[in-house]
Amino acid sequence: MKRAQLLFTPGPLTTSKSVKEAMMQDMGSRDYAFINAVKDIRNGLLELAHVSKQEGYECVIMQGSGTFGIESVVSSVVGKQDVLLILANGAYGERIAKMASIHKLNHQVVRFAEDEIVSPEATAAYLQAHPEITQVACIHSETTTGLFNPILEIGAVCKKYNKVFIVDAMSSFGGVEMDMKEMQIDFLVSSSNKCIEGVPGFAFALCKKTALEKAKGQARSLSLDLYEQWAGLEASGQFRFTPPTLSIMAFRQALRELEEEGGVKAREERYKANKQVLDAGMNGIGFRQYLRPEIQGHIITSFLYPDDTNFNFDTFYKKLNERGFVIYPGKLGKADAFRIGNIGQIFPEDVQALIDAVKEVLEEENLVIAVA
Ligand SMILES: *Cc1c(COP(=O)(O)O)cnc(C)c1O
């Protein structure tokens, strides 16, 4: 067998062998082992966010990819008379706006430039002028570019104006320390195949219970009904519809491995170490980052295409792929860029191996990148 591919992407990510091995046994959805795993995961996820059931927080697992989790929250939490404000500075903010349109939710969108963070001051001014707003949605790590929005400050603004705060922490949760109480988040959504390093299969929403209870009877869809999904899990420990059994078993193993690594803090350090090797290596070759460093997160980095007109991303991608390295295309509105992720079971030496492969490919293609 060819050496396994390493994924330098925003997900699905490279996973450990033991996480994959946790999926080797068929598992019935009513099996005790499975129901216990679901229970462990729901409690474990709350713990990672520094909250608990006793403090009034609940974890709801939703089948599907991350988007299903966001859509479940947005389409269940925003009531008929409510107005959702979406703070958007990238493709994932726009995705929430699209959901709001499809579900015909009352909503407003405040847009910021793709290479700028969501401004807490502008958010406060908007909320001051728009008392009709009831919920605010924002992305934490905007995977489009790799920037981190200032969730702590935006959370404080939301609470000052008494709004429910919904955060898409898909690509950050597990790889960035997050305290839901401190950040004043009411709904935090992430998925199985990002920084907790499980395999795809489900999303999860960490919810302030009082806010979750208000979603009863409000859903626009049967399968994405957040409240009913929670009520089902609470009543029997089971899912309403076929659960992603093996993905759940892999995820429980992934949570154990996160703990063994030293928790979110240690994982954050490893991802930051990956990013350091990546930045030093890419800058050494002559590549330039799209974002200014102050707003750049340590999850994924956007690199601008080099000035050399002979650079062809498809060739570059394919030649890296043949060497076992999977990078990611860009998604920017106003610049040509590609992305490299620092997350998953990859370590600084893997990033160095990627840098060496990048050099090799550029030499093979006779590309010269001027060091700025
Ligand atoms: C990955 C990601 C999602 C969800 O994407 P899926 O493809 O549905 O898993 C949502 N928001 C952000 C910021 C992401 O990085």
Side-chain angles (χ1 to χ4, degrees):
M1 200 170 86
K2 194 165 85 129
R3 181 174 79 79
Q5 299 266 33
L6 287 175
L7 306 179
F8 293 84
T9 66
L13 304 172
T14 312
T15 56
S16 71
K17 186 162 178 281
S18 32
V19 162
K20 289 185 270 285
E21 281 167 356
M23 297 186 289
M24 294 300 280
Q25 262 190 36
D26 290 321
M27 182 64 65
S29 60
R30 286 162 183 263
D31 197 296
Y32 283 122
F34 176 70
I35 289 179
N36 279 332
V38 171
K39 197 168 124 218
D40 285 352
I41 289 170
R42 292 178 66 211
N43 290 329
L45 287 172
L46 290 174
E47 224 173 279
L48 290 187
H50 302 284
V51 292
S52 64
K53 265 175 105 73
Q54 291 72 34
E55 292 169 289
Y57 290 84
E58 295 289 332
C59 172
V60 187
I61 301 177
M62 183 61 71
Q63 298 96 323
S65 82
T67 304
F68 292 59
I70 302 280
E71 189 158 10
S72 168
V73 168
V74 167
S75 66
S76 301
V77 166
V78 181
K80 269 204 184 77
Q81 311 302 327
D82 291 349
V83 182
L84 171 69
L85 171 65
I86 299 148
L87 303 168
N89 58 342
Y92 292 97
E94 295 301 333
R95 188 177 290 180
I96 298 182
K98 194 168 179 187
M99 285 172 195
S101 297
I102 288 174
H103 291 288
K104 300 189 168 62
L105 310 181
N106 302 317
H107 68 284
Q108 298 170 20
V109 187
V110 173
R111 294 190 166 84
F112 298 85
E114 216 166 49
D115 55 354
E116 289 298 336
I117 54 172
V118 168
S119 151
E121 295 77 22
T123 303
Y126 194 87
L127 291 179
Q128 178 77 38
H130 293 270
E132 71 275 17
I133 304 287
T134 44
Q135 290 93 2
V136 177
C138 188
I139 314 295
H140 181 209
S141 165
E142 225 326 335
T143 318
T144 313
T145 53
L147 66 72
F148 279 0
N149 281 317
I151 289 303
L152 180 72
E153 288 79 6
I154 300 166
V157 168
C158 287
K159 286 310 126 173
K160 181 175 170 208
Y161 290 93
N162 205 17
K163 313 300 179 194
V164 169
F165 190 28
I166 301 169
V167 176
D168 171 346
M170 205 70 64
S171 65
S172 52
F173 191 69
V176 180
E177 268 291 358
M178 292 186 80
D179 183 320
M180 250 184 108
K181 253 184 303 175
E182 189 192 10
M183 294 176 151
Q184 311 195 66
I185 300 171
D186 298 291
F187 295 93
L188 182 156
V189 185
S190 185
S191 75
S192 57
N193 61 274
K194 298 236 174 170
C195 296
I196 298 173
E197 302 183 356
V199 303
F202 63 90
F204 52 86
L206 308 182
C207 316
K208 186 107 188 262
K209 189 177 177 182
T210 48
L212 172 62
E213 283 168 337
K214 289 193 188 134
K216 186 175 184 179
Q218 293 192 154
R220 274 79 172 177
S221 128
L222 172 71
S223 56
L224 295 178
D225 189 329
L226 183 73
Y227 179 89
E228 287 303 327
Q229 184 84 349
W230 172 64
L233 285 166
E234 285 297 293
S236 61
Q238 293 178 18
F239 286 73
R240 293 176 299 156
F241 313 117
T242 303
T245 43
L246 300 182
S247 172
I248 289 275
M249 299 316 285
F251 194 77
R252 193 188 41 181
Q253 177 61 26
L255 276 178
R256 285 182 184 144
E257 292 176 17
L258 173 59
E259 195 178 318
E260 280 161 21
E261 185 171 346
V264 175
K265 215 181 180 83
R267 181 152 298 176
E268 182 168 348
E269 289 312 314
R270 172 162 63 85
Y271 289 170
K272 283 181 175 167
N274 287 346
K275 171 142 179 67
Q276 251 174 17
V277 175
L278 180 71
D279 282 344
M282 291 297 276
N283 292 342
I285 296 169
F287 281 100
R288 281 178 300 126
Q289 285 84 344
Y290 172 65
L291 293 175
R292 58 197 159 83
E294 307 88 82
I295 61 171
Q296 169 73 57
H298 58 268
I299 300 298
I300 191 163
T301 310
S302 294
F303 291 97
L304 293 167
Y305 282 11
D307 295 333
D308 192 326
T309 49
N310 291 321
F311 179 81
N312 178 300
F313 178 74
D314 293 335
T315 309
F316 184 64
Y317 178 91
K318 199 166 144 267
K319 291 201 163 189
L320 284 175
N321 207 306
E322 283 162 4
R323 288 165 168 80
F325 302 96
V326 181
I327 63 167
Y328 216 63
K331 210 180 196 178
L332 301 178
K334 56 183 186 189
D336 280 328
F338 58 87
R339 289 176 285 175
I340 299 182
N342 305 304
I343 56 180
Q345 274 294 294
I346 49 175
F347 298 83
E349 55 272 28
D350 299 316
V351 182
Q352 189 53 54
L354 166 70
I355 297 290
D356 296 342
V358 167
K359 280 184 198 156
E360 230 180 78
V361 169
L362 293 175
E363 271 164 31
E364 213 176 273
E365 290 288 295
N366 275 319
L367 285 167
V368 193
I369 301 178
V371 179

